[in-house]
Amino acid sequence: MSDLRVGVLGCGRIGRMHADLLANRVDGLAVAAVFDVAPDAAAAVSDRLDVRRADTPEALIQGDDVDVVAVCSSTDTHIDLLVATADAGKPVFIEKPLSLDLAEVDRGIRAVDAAGVPVQVGFNRRFDPSHRSVRQRVLDGDVGDVHLCRITSRDPAPPPITYIEVSGGIFNDMTIHDFDMARFVTGSEVVDVFAHGAVLVDDAIGAAGDFDTIVVTMRHENGAITTIDNSRQAVYGYDQRVEVFGSGGVAMSDNPLTTTTVYRNADGGRQSTVPYFFLDRYVPSYIAEWEAFRDMVRTGSPSPVSMADGRAPLALGMAASLSAREGRIVLISEVG
Amino acid sequence: MSDLRVGVLGCGRIGRMHADLLANRVDGLAVAAVFDVAPDAAAAVSDRLDVRRADTPEALIQGDDVDVVAVCSSTDTHIDLLVATADAGKPVFIEKPLSLDLAEVDRGIRAVDAAGVPVQVGFNRRFDPSHRSVRQRVLDGDVGDVHLCRITSRDPAPPPITYIEVSGGIFNDMTIHDFDMARFVTGSEVVDVFAHGAVLVDDAIGAAGDFDTIVVTMRHENGAITTIDNSRQAVYGYDQRVEVFGSGGVAMSDNPLTTTTVYRNADGGRQSTVPYFFLDRYVPSYIAEWEAFRDMVRTGSPSPVSMADGRAPLALGMAASLSAREGRIVLISEVG
Amino acid sequence: MSDLRVGVLGCGRIGRMHADLLANRVDGLAVAAVFDVAPDAAAAVSDRLDVRRADTPEALIQGDDVDVVAVCSSTDTHIDLLVATADAGKPVFIEKPLSLDLAEVDRGIRAVDAAGVPVQVGFNRRFDPSHRSVRQRVLDGDVGDVHLCRITSRDPAPPPITYIEVSGGIFNDMTIHDFDMARFVTGSEVVDVFAHGAVLVDDAIGAAGDFDTIVVTMRHENGAITTIDNSRQAVYGYDQRVEVFGSGGVAMSDNPLTTTTVYRNADGGRQSTVPYFFLDRYVPSYIAEWEAFRDMVRTGSPSPVSMADGRAPLALGMAASLSAREGRIVLISEVG
Amino acid sequence: MSDLRVGVLGCGRIGRMHADLLANRVDGLAVAAVFDVAPDAAAAVSDRLDVRRADTPEALIQGDDVDVVAVCSSTDTHIDLLVATADAGKPVFIEKPLSLDLAEVDRGIRAVDAAGVPVQVGFNRRFDPSHRSVRQRVLDGDVGDVHLCRITSRDPAPPPITYIEVSGGIFNDMTIHDFDMARFVTGSEVVDVFAHGAVLVDDAIGAAGDFDTIVVTMRHENGAITTIDNSRQAVYGYDQRVEVFGSGGVAMSDNPLTTTTVYRNADGGRQSTVPYFFLDRYVPSYIAEWEAFRDMVRTGSPSPVSMADGRAPLALGMAASLSAREGRIVLISEVG
């Protein structure tokens, strides 16, 4: 069976990473063409991987050499490119967040439904082997009825203020992964959200209108309660842990360490560091999400991360922002 | 130096445990006399340990053979016995909760202040070596400014409904330890409380007017945010973990395991269970709290768990109950 | 049922520890009398525990107030006291090593057999919950046929040279525990021994005719191969690990840590120390061995550590000494 | 700087793996040509990677498109190909074992010395981040003087008997890695070897003249004692651990687990499996060894795994075989 040929829209950090993984690490997929609004960025990738550089998104999407499209461009272009690809009848892999505007997302959903093309949203952490095995324990019934879910996500260092000014805020650029994880591992929709936001890391983040430290609690339809905490700065590295507790037991994913070595002397034991950031931790999950995409396209199986899965965390982010601002519980039904 | 002679008021489960530890495990303290409203309960202990059985609390408190008094009786008698002992000029060890009524607690505080006697409240978990070392990392500056605190406390199985009906509710009989722990490890007072309560374990608990599953978030004066989760039933045992995260790093205490043995076969690895309940986990902390009490009495050092430390968690419990009932943030200043 | 009354012969470090544990920590046993060749040593214990001080071993052994005898005196007196107690028809707990002379041990065995009294030898590590669960995995068949056994025992610091001069050497005072452990966890007798001995810690130990670092390999009747390593000095604390590997899997006991706390910063993780020495690690095993002794005496069950179990490690120690000296494999049949 | 172009001699399992890693995972190196005595095997790789297929080793070695040569062919061809490449003045990466004949190895060493080309032998485990950090602790002085070294290597399942019949035996095909590791982590040459060999896994292995379970002890020039154990069958997966103990502390590398997830219920905790075999564990080490090779060629730095490092484990394997056969300590000076 020949490789599926992927056209990659957007050659920023995440687009470049996907192009490299597709070229070198994922069986059954190959990069065919790339596009970026900055021609130099696209040229760097097309030269390195020896693939076509398209002059316009349309030239990529419509290309006979492109079977499927990866939308890795800036967030505000996501839905237009999704719709164009769906209209062209080609399967789509699309990065999160889908959009910061739910009406836009709904336009995308309508286009995808009309075209009947398979779509997968890029929530890669669902494919991390450790978080995935937590989900599997729930699916297998080992956790029983889910009562509590705890998610920790802490970045090693804050992004530039220029990023924070356009990201949509911590709930949309960082917690969004945890909102998705909560739905994924509990298997239950969220009913309401309560959030605390604080500025403890850097006053400049507060001056830009954002928080750098947040705690969110959410109630699910099945009665379970999820707690999420985020920080823009964990000096010890990229801290990513998920725990699901229920009537049958508890399943917990922990951080891997960079080595398994322990050193002991009279002062106690020393372990290695945790991975520094998402590329150090999550490359296997990116590879696995592409393998899942490939299988979805080939077999016609349901999307492992559907448009609805892409939409729900956006509504949760809005609810969390509103809650933190107004200091009250916000029902999801209020926002979307 | 001769042993301090302890009179133990109350020979229920916790009083018996203290008497046995004092008799057998704590250097520098000895049991001199015991009292219980049920004479048989007192007799069982006095016979076993070969110590005096007092006919009344006064006969114990006033006894020339009693240097210090341990108040381990039912909660509603705590303050009266505390006041009587303080009036007699003797140091007091008193179990938590001090009372379910803040006015009563304040009466106790006035009596203690007037008498100038040393008092220590029985928050034993402060003396657990693991939780204590988390606190030490904060004190030593290794955690830096505290940003987040996470506390998990889950019991292996619910108490009898008859207990739940009189305990004052989960926030007062179970979360109270975590309220204390949050103040202890962060070193900062709480400003406001938000709580979710749910009935997920046993409907009979809900029928008795209580929750069996709770999540509390609290904001501290220093800006830190604490999250607490409790469940009345963790089928895998007594789950007690504390984490403090800040600008300098993170310190986390985990559950000990009953053995260090790991078994591996093709299915993966098997570890031992966690300790089943508080006696299996916390005996070293009970011994250490007595050693601290002994040192406080002998040296006149400040109380490691003062009356103020006993009062604060009661106010937090009231705030949490109110928050869970009304679905809103409750300021501590509202309740006490 | 009333307590069994123990007479303790020998009030050195180990005798004092046993007396205290019996007085305070073991249900169903009580100290009745003590003896030591140094009257002051005996008086210190008899005063503290308020028990009889016997003027001679005979006065202790023959006492109507003594049901069973604990032989905790110096090694060279063990067999005489064992024989005297057996002749008096009383059960015996006896510390290891039984003797440094196999003929003496055999005299003891004959006396015990003739008297028909229950005897338990003090190999306490068999009762450590972690090592014991390794043994249990073997007994339960989870390890399958045993192929390899690895035992590490390292002391935190060397004993005084004066002790080394009379101890019988590292194989008899230190490895003896590991020889017992190898037989215990594999369930198979040893056929031959090969040993390396080295002086790497302190030349004074070599000058005293002993090694401070040893590696022993042994072949068992069932074909399994055991490896033991010992050091007189592990600066990080008391290192005690056992591993049994077989056709069905592997079971491994690890060192406990003094706390479960982990601290992380940019340099990596920090764990607590391991316990410093045997009292910090093995008190639970000493308590459990007394509970087993009590049950053996009361129920007439077979000894959990028989005279044969006491004898076998002595022969292994002799074989190991000979092997290290001559640089060759030594058959157990050569030495005893 | 343009990529170094590698010619790969041998397209069996290990040659294919190297070619794929060079093509996809290693910066600065590229595959230029491949050869295999089985033309189909070479064609499969050359087609997949779109590189030249050479008809003879000479056609590969002499090719203008080949800067450096990777010798991954069968062991008996290693030295001839090494010599031919050295004579051509090109750097060589060569798989272990160099040969089963020390005289052949010495011929290779002379050719390399005469040509002055850089050579690196494929002991990939030196580049595993965990084992490497053990070595680093020794180099940094944290372990102090090395006293003991323990290495465990156990394969998940035995190779086919046809492989065992030609491999040179367990000491040459399996322990060879551990012989290298012992020299690497202790930083000291071996003086003598003692070995036990047993047939406990499969009688057919014994019938083929080999052992399936071995224990080796070795004394180093610096006085340290190394213990190695190997088994052809660990049902729980690929078990690879290294420990170095010394006057300053202990450093230990452990097995990674396939996920970090722990599940707990009333039966205890469940961990994931260890990696199943060397490809699941050691891909990062293969990548790192190529990066080291690239840097050596570019900078002219000393080889991280020299011809002498390739030779020494062969002598240790011979000594171990002799020791197991004759039941005695064998000096390295006896064999080579």
Side-chain angles (χ1 to χ4, degrees):
Chain A
M1 191 178 299
S2 60
D3 286 354
L4 283 173
R5 298 165 302 172
V6 184
V8 178
L9 292 170
C11 295
R13 183 174 64 171
I14 198 76
R16 281 199 307 272
M17 181 200 74
H18 281 309
D20 285 341
L21 292 177
L22 290 167
N24 297 320
R25 307 283 296 272
V26 186
D27 288 334
L29 293 173
V31 182
V34 297
F35 167 81
D36 197 277
V37 289
D40 286 358
V45 177
S46 68
D47 288 355
R48 179 154 42 83
L49 301 180
D50 194 19
V51 298
R52 176 166 70 96
R53 178 172 70 76
D55 289 326
T56 64
E58 292 69 31
L60 183 143
I61 293 168
Q62 301 295 340
D64 286 344
D65 58 346
V66 166
D67 298 316
V68 301
V69 172
V71 178
C72 308
S73 50
S74 63
T75 299
D76 58 336
T77 66
H78 278 180
I79 298 299
D80 282 345
L81 296 174
L82 169 75
V83 170
T85 309
D87 288 350
K90 294 184 177 176
V92 188
F93 175 94
I94 182 166
E95 268 302 327
K96 33 62 54 189
L98 290 177
S99 169
L100 298 180
D101 177 343
L102 286 181
E104 273 292 278
V105 172
D106 290 337
R107 181 167 71 91
I109 290 175
R110 285 192 302 272
V112 165
D113 286 349
V117 295
V119 177
Q120 180 175 324
V121 183
F123 282 119
N124 63 293
R125 293 185 198 170
R126 290 190 177 208
F127 300 90
D128 175 77
S130 297
H131 303 327
R132 197 162 190 81
S133 72
V134 170
R135 169 60 178 155
Q136 197 60 44
R137 286 287 184 185
V138 175
L139 282 175
D140 292 347
D142 294 333
V143 172
D145 296 331
V146 175
H147 293 178
L148 294 167
C149 170
R150 287 194 351 179
I151 302 173
T152 287
S153 295
R154 301 171 189 158
D155 281 356
I161 295 295
T162 51
Y163 173 83
I164 284 173
E165 288 168 345
V166 301
S167 79
I170 190 169
F171 294 118
N172 282 305
D173 81 62
M174 196 167 158
T175 325
I176 189 170
H177 278 291
D178 308 308
F179 290 137
D180 180 62
M181 186 60 71
R183 294 177 66 247
F184 176 59
V185 293
T186 66
S188 178
E189 294 295 338
V190 173
V191 176
D192 64 30
V193 173
F194 177 82
H196 279 309
V199 179
L200 301 172
V201 172
D202 185 351
D203 287 342
I205 294 174
D210 201 3
F211 306 115
D212 55 35
T213 306
I214 64 97
V215 170
V216 174
T217 62
M218 313 195 295
R219 289 191 287 201
H220 294 259
E221 287 182 353
N222 65 4
I225 307 172
T226 286
T227 310
I228 297 167
D229 73 70
N230 286 173
S231 171
R232 292 278 194 194
Q233 182 171 289
V235 295
Y236 53 93
Y238 192 51
D239 189 351
Q240 301 278 308
R241 289 171 281 157
V242 174
E243 172 178 339
V244 184
F245 165 83
S247 58
V250 67
M252 300 177 278
S253 61
D254 203 346
N255 294 299
L257 299 181
T258 49
T259 81
T260 62
T261 299
V262 171
Y263 169 72
R264 297 199 167 284
N265 65 14
D267 294 331
R270 306 282 180 103
Q271 302 173 325
S272 290
T273 50
V274 298
Y276 182 71
F277 203 8
F278 72 98
L279 283 182
D280 306 294
R281 164 86 193 252
Y282 280 132
V283 161
S285 75
Y286 287 111
I287 294 172
E289 77 175 348
W290 278 113
E291 293 169 344
F293 178 81
R294 176 197 66 202
D295 295 345
M296 173 190 71
V297 171
R298 283 193 172 149
T299 67
S301 56
S303 174
V305 195
S306 68
M307 287 296 290
D309 292 326
R311 186 187 194 281
L314 295 169
L316 294 175
M318 289 171 192
S321 294
L322 187 58
S323 173
R325 208 159 55 236
E326 302 192 351
R328 65 177 180 90
I329 296 171
V330 174
L331 295 169
I332 301 310
S333 56
E334 293 183 53
V335 294
Chain B
M1 193 180 298
S2 63
D3 288 352
L4 283 173
R5 298 163 301 169
V6 184
V8 178
L9 293 170
C11 295
R13 183 174 63 172
I14 198 76
R16 282 199 306 274
M17 182 199 72
H18 281 308
D20 285 342
L21 291 177
L22 290 167
N24 297 319
R25 307 284 294 274
V26 186
D27 288 335
L29 293 173
V31 182
V34 297
F35 166 80
D36 197 279
V37 290
D40 286 358
V45 177
S46 69
D47 288 356
R48 180 153 42 83
L49 301 181
D50 193 20
V51 299
R52 174 167 70 96
R53 178 172 70 77
D55 289 326
T56 64
E58 292 70 28
L60 184 141
I61 293 168
Q62 303 294 343
D64 285 344
D65 58 345
V66 166
D67 299 316
V68 301
V69 172
V71 179
C72 308
S73 51
S74 62
T75 299
D76 58 336
T77 67
H78 279 179
I79 298 298
D80 281 346
L81 296 174
L82 170 75
V83 171
T85 309
D87 288 351
K90 295 185 177 177
V92 188
F93 175 95
I94 183 166
E95 269 300 328
K96 32 63 49 190
L98 289 177
S99 168
L100 297 180
D101 177 344
L102 287 182
E104 273 291 278
V105 172
D106 290 338
R107 180 169 69 92
I109 289 174
R110 287 191 301 272
V112 165
D113 286 349
V117 295
V119 177
Q120 181 176 323
V121 183
F123 282 118
N124 62 293
R125 292 184 198 172
R126 288 190 177 207
F127 301 90
D128 175 76
S130 297
H131 304 327
R132 195 163 192 82
S133 71
V134 170
R135 169 59 178 154
Q136 197 59 45
R137 286 288 184 183
V138 176
L139 282 175
D140 291 348
D142 295 334
V143 172
D145 296 331
V146 176
H147 293 177
L148 294 167
C149 170
R150 288 194 351 179
I151 302 173
T152 287
S153 295
R154 300 170 190 160
D155 281 354
I161 294 295
T162 51
Y163 173 82
I164 284 174
E165 287 167 347
V166 302
S167 79
I170 189 168
F171 294 117
N172 282 304
D173 80 63
M174 197 168 158
T175 325
I176 189 170
H177 278 290
D178 307 309
F179 290 138
D180 180 62
M181 186 60 70
R183 294 178 67 249
F184 176 59
V185 293
T186 66
S188 179
E189 294 295 337
V190 174
V191 175
D192 64 30
V193 173
F194 177 82
H196 279 308
V199 179
L200 300 173
V201 171
D202 184 351
D203 287 342
I205 293 172
D210 201 3
F211 305 116
D212 53 36
T213 306
I214 64 97
V215 169
V216 174
T217 61
M218 314 195 296
R219 289 192 286 201
H220 294 258
E221 287 182 353
N222 64 4
I225 307 172
T226 287
T227 311
I228 297 167
D229 73 69
N230 287 172
S231 171
R232 293 279 195 192
Q233 181 172 290
V235 297
Y236 53 93
Y238 192 52
D239 189 351
Q240 301 280 307
R241 288 171 281 158
V242 174
E243 172 178 340
V244 184
F245 165 84
S247 59
V250 67
M252 301 177 278
S253 62
D254 203 347
N255 294 298
L257 300 180
T258 50
T259 81
T260 62
T261 300
V262 170
Y263 169 74
R264 297 199 166 282
N265 65 14
D267 294 332
R270 307 282 180 101
Q271 301 173 326
S272 290
T273 51
V274 299
Y276 183 71
F277 204 9
F278 72 99
L279 283 181
D280 306 294
R281 165 87 193 251
Y282 280 132
V283 161
S285 75
Y286 286 112
I287 293 172
E289 77 175 348
W290 278 113
E291 292 168 344
F293 177 81
R294 176 198 65 203
D295 295 346
M296 172 189 71
V297 171
R298 283 195 174 151
T299 68
S301 56
S303 175
V305 196
S306 69
M307 287 295 289
D309 292 326
R311 187 188 193 278
L314 296 168
L316 294 176
M318 288 171 193
S321 294
L322 187 58
S323 174
R325 207 158 57 235
E326 301 192 351
R328 64 175 181 90
I329 296 171
V330 174
L331 295 169
I332 301 309
S333 56
E334 292 183 52
V335 295
Chain C
M1 189 179 300
S2 61
D3 286 353
L4 282 173
R5 297 164 301 171
V6 185
V8 177
L9 293 169
C11 295
R13 182 173 65 170
I14 198 76
R16 283 200 305 273
M17 181 199 74
H18 281 309
D20 285 340
L21 291 176
L22 290 167
N24 297 320
R25 306 285 295 274
V26 186
D27 289 335
L29 293 173
V31 181
V34 297
F35 166 81
D36 196 277
V37 289
D40 287 357
V45 177
S46 69
D47 288 354
R48 179 153 43 82
L49 301 180
D50 193 19
V51 297
R52 175 166 71 95
R53 179 171 70 75
D55 289 328
T56 64
E58 292 69 31
L60 184 142
I61 292 168
Q62 303 294 341
D64 286 344
D65 58 346
V66 165
D67 299 316
V68 301
V69 172
V71 179
C72 308
S73 50
S74 62
T75 300
D76 59 335
T77 67
H78 279 180
I79 298 298
D80 281 345
L81 296 174
L82 170 75
V83 170
T85 310
D87 288 350
K90 295 185 178 177
V92 188
F93 174 94
I94 182 166
E95 268 302 328
K96 34 63 51 188
L98 290 177
S99 168
L100 297 180
D101 177 342
L102 287 181
E104 272 292 279
V105 173
D106 291 337
R107 180 168 70 92
I109 290 175
R110 285 191 302 272
V112 166
D113 286 349
V117 295
V119 177
Q120 180 176 324
V121 183
F123 282 118
N124 63 294
R125 293 186 198 170
R126 290 190 176 208
F127 300 90
D128 174 77
S130 297
H131 303 326
R132 196 163 190 81
S133 72
V134 170
R135 169 61 178 153
Q136 197 60 45
R137 286 287 184 183
V138 175
L139 282 175
D140 292 347
D142 294 333
V143 173
D145 295 332
V146 175
H147 294 177
L148 294 167
C149 170
R150 286 194 352 180
I151 301 173
T152 287
S153 296
R154 300 171 189 158
D155 281 355
I161 294 294
T162 51
Y163 173 83
I164 284 174
E165 288 168 344
V166 301
S167 79
I170 190 169
F171 295 116
N172 282 305
D173 81 63
M174 197 167 158
T175 326
I176 189 170
H177 278 289
D178 307 307
F179 290 137
D180 181 62
M181 186 61 70
R183 295 178 66 247
F184 176 59
V185 294
T186 65
S188 178
E189 294 295 338
V190 173
V191 176
D192 64 31
V193 173
F194 177 82
H196 279 309
V199 179
L200 301 173
V201 171
D202 184 350
D203 286 343
I205 294 173
D210 200 3
F211 305 115
D212 53 38
T213 305
I214 63 97
V215 169
V216 174
T217 61
M218 312 195 295
R219 289 192 287 202
H220 293 259
E221 287 181 353
N222 64 5
I225 307 171
T226 286
T227 310
I228 297 168
D229 73 70
N230 287 174
S231 172
R232 291 280 193 193
Q233 181 171 290
V235 296
Y236 53 93
Y238 192 52
D239 189 352
Q240 300 279 308
R241 289 172 281 158
V242 174
E243 171 178 341
V244 184
F245 165 84
S247 58
V250 68
M252 301 176 278
S253 61
D254 203 347
N255 294 298
L257 299 180
T258 50
T259 81
T260 62
T261 299
V262 171
Y263 168 73
R264 296 197 167 285
N265 64 14
D267 294 331
R270 307 281 180 102
Q271 302 174 326
S272 291
T273 50
V274 299
Y276 183 71
F277 204 9
F278 73 98
L279 283 181
D280 306 293
R281 164 89 194 248
Y282 280 131
V283 162
S285 76
Y286 286 111
I287 294 172
E289 78 174 349
W290 278 112
E291 293 169 344
F293 177 81
R294 175 197 66 202
D295 295 345
M296 172 189 72
V297 172
R298 282 194 173 149
T299 68
S301 57
S303 175
V305 195
S306 68
M307 287 295 290
D309 293 326
R311 186 187 194 281
L314 295 170
L316 294 175
M318 289 170 192
S321 295
L322 188 57
S323 173
R325 207 157 56 236
E326 302 192 351
R328 64 176 181 91
I329 296 171
V330 173
L331 295 170
I332 301 309
S333 56
E334 292 182 52
V335 293
Chain D
M1 192 180 298
S2 62
D3 287 353
L4 283 173
R5 297 164 300 169
V6 184
V8 178
L9 293 169
C11 295
R13 183 173 64 171
I14 198 75
R16 281 199 308 272
M17 182 199 73
H18 282 307
D20 285 341
L21 292 176
L22 289 167
N24 297 320
R25 306 285 294 274
V26 186
D27 288 336
L29 292 173
V31 181
V34 298
F35 166 80
D36 196 279
V37 291
D40 286 358
V45 177
S46 69
D47 288 356
R48 179 154 42 82
L49 301 180
D50 193 20
V51 298
R52 176 166 69 95
R53 178 170 70 74
D55 288 327
T56 64
E58 292 70 30
L60 184 142
I61 293 168
Q62 303 293 342
D64 286 344
D65 58 346
V66 166
D67 299 317
V68 300
V69 173
V71 178
C72 307
S73 50
S74 62
T75 299
D76 57 336
T77 67
H78 278 180
I79 298 299
D80 281 346
L81 296 173
L82 170 74
V83 170
T85 309
D87 288 350
K90 294 185 177 176
V92 188
F93 175 95
I94 182 165
E95 269 301 328
K96 33 65 48 188
L98 289 177
S99 167
L100 297 181
D101 177 342
L102 287 181
E104 273 291 277
V105 172
D106 291 337
R107 180 169 69 93
I109 290 175
R110 285 191 302 271
V112 165
D113 286 349
V117 295
V119 177
Q120 181 176 323
V121 183
F123 281 118
N124 63 294
R125 292 184 199 172
R126 289 190 177 208
F127 300 90
D128 175 77
S130 297
H131 303 327
R132 196 162 190 82
S133 71
V134 170
R135 169 59 178 155
Q136 197 59 44
R137 286 287 184 183
V138 176
L139 281 175
D140 291 347
D142 295 334
V143 172
D145 295 331
V146 175
H147 294 177
L148 294 168
C149 169
R150 288 194 349 180
I151 302 173
T152 287
S153 296
R154 300 170 190 159
D155 281 354
I161 294 295
T162 50
Y163 173 83
I164 284 174
E165 287 167 345
V166 302
S167 78
I170 189 168
F171 294 117
N172 282 304
D173 81 62
M174 197 167 158
T175 325
I176 190 170
H177 278 289
D178 308 308
F179 290 137
D180 180 62
M181 186 60 70
R183 294 177 67 248
F184 176 59
V185 293
T186 65
S188 178
E189 295 295 337
V190 174
V191 175
D192 65 31
V193 174
F194 177 82
H196 279 308
V199 179
L200 300 173
V201 171
D202 184 350
D203 286 344
I205 294 172
D210 201 3
F211 305 115
D212 53 37
T213 306
I214 64 96
V215 170
V216 173
T217 61
M218 313 194 296
R219 289 191 287 201
H220 294 259
E221 287 182 354
N222 64 4
I225 308 171
T226 287
T227 311
I228 298 167
D229 73 70
N230 287 173
S231 172
R232 293 280 195 191
Q233 181 172 290
V235 296
Y236 53 93
Y238 192 51
D239 189 351
Q240 300 279 307
R241 289 172 281 158
V242 174
E243 171 178 340
V244 183
F245 165 84
S247 59
V250 67
M252 301 177 277
S253 61
D254 203 347
N255 294 297
L257 299 181
T258 50
T259 81
T260 62
T261 299
V262 170
Y263 169 73
R264 296 199 167 284
N265 65 14
D267 295 332
R270 307 283 180 101
Q271 301 174 327
S272 290
T273 51
V274 298
Y276 183 69
F277 204 10
F278 73 99
L279 283 181
D280 306 294
R281 165 87 193 250
Y282 280 131
V283 162
S285 75
Y286 286 112
I287 294 172
E289 75 175 350
W290 278 113
E291 293 168 344
F293 177 81
R294 176 198 65 203
D295 295 346
M296 172 188 72
V297 171
R298 283 195 174 150
T299 68
S301 57
S303 175
V305 195
S306 68
M307 288 295 289
D309 292 326
R311 186 187 194 279
L314 296 169
L316 295 176
M318 289 170 193
S321 294
L322 186 58
S323 173
R325 206 158 57 235
E326 302 193 350
R328 65 176 181 89
I329 297 171
V330 174
L331 295 169
I332 301 309
S333 56
E334 293 182 52
V335 295

